[in-house]
Structures are given as structure tokens and as C-alpha cells.
Amino acid sequence: QVQLQESGPGLVKPSQTLSLTCTVSGGSITTNTYYWSWIRQPPGKRLEWMGAIGGSGTTYYSPSLQSRISIPRDTSKNQFTLQLSSVTSEDTAVYYCARVRTVPVTTRSAGSWGQGTQVSVSS
């Protein structure tokens, strides 16, 4: 039913802003029973929930990323975006967007997920 697809550059230079877009089909991002989330997994590390935007437009951010993260949305395109500023090599990860009913996300067993996209931070 619902499908999510991540898109954006696979390579970002250090100190710049990482920007990814999640395009949603089969469901509306304004549906307020869900949190539209970004999650990442650096190599060798656990899943890290980054933040989400609710159907009402309210945002929720991981405290560890709050100073650098923004999750805007474009309801006309049924898309939401991850913007992560001042990136370093530690931001290299597979990035996922997901529709979940609760946050923070702890496992992949909950909700509907995109396939993920690899983003490397390198000069």
C-alpha cells in the first residue's frame, strides 16, 4: 500500500548540508495518526532515529541532532525532507525514511520503510 522512496545525493562534502527527500505514495503525509520519520544506520552501529514530522506539521528531533537537523515538508508533493547541516564523516550512513505510529523508532519491525539510501561524507 504505502510506499516511501528516498532520493538525494550519495556524496556530501564535509561541513556542507546533507539533504534527502522522501517521496510518499499510497498515503498522505498529513495523516495525523503517523509520524513521518528519518532513521539512519552508520556502518557497524545501531539504528539511530533522527527525527520526524507529524501529520499536523509538528516536528520531533533526537536531542543529539537537534542543533543540526530540520525536517520540512511539501504537502503539495507529498514529500518530506531531511536537512542535516555541518556534516562530518561520522554522518556517513544508510538513511531511511519511514512511516511509524510511535517515536522514537527502535527497530525496523514497526511501520513502513523505504529501501534506504547510502550517503557518504567525504572530500
Side-chain angles (χ1 to χ4, degrees):
Q1 185 66 263
V2 66
Q3 296 179 345
L4 299 89
Q5 178 69 60
E6 305 90 348
S7 62
L11 182 65
V12 183
K13 291 182 170 63
S15 82
Q16 296 192 340
T17 295
L18 184 160
S19 183
L20 298 173
T21 295
C22 184
T23 300
V24 179
S25 62
S28 174
I29 63 171
T30 63
T31 302
N32 62 12
T33 54
Y34 296 104
Y35 299 93
W36 305 88
S37 295
W38 287 100
I39 307 100
R40 68 180 180 181
Q41 188 166 35
K45 298 183 179 179
R46 68 168 183 84
L47 289 169
E48 179 186 18
W49 176 78
M50 303 179 70
I53 185 164
S56 68
T58 302
T59 52
Y60 308 84
Y61 301 132
S62 168
S64 66
L65 298 172
Q66 191 162 274
S67 66
R68 299 195 291 135
I69 191 172
S70 178
I71 304 180
R73 69 180 184 178
D74 185 341
T75 58
S76 70
K77 297 180 179 179
N78 211 33
Q79 295 176 331
F80 62 102
T81 297
L82 171 68
Q83 296 179 335
L84 185 68
S85 66
S86 302
V87 299
T88 72
S89 62
E90 292 190 353
D91 295 307
T92 294
V94 177
Y95 285 77
Y96 302 90
C97 58
R99 186 191 72 175
V100 297
R101 300 189 77 102
T102 60
V103 292
V105 175
T106 57
T107 73
R108 287 191 230 197
S109 63
S112 299
W113 291 54
Q115 66 183 4
T117 187
Q118 171 71 44
V119 180
S120 296
V121 178
S122 177
S123 60

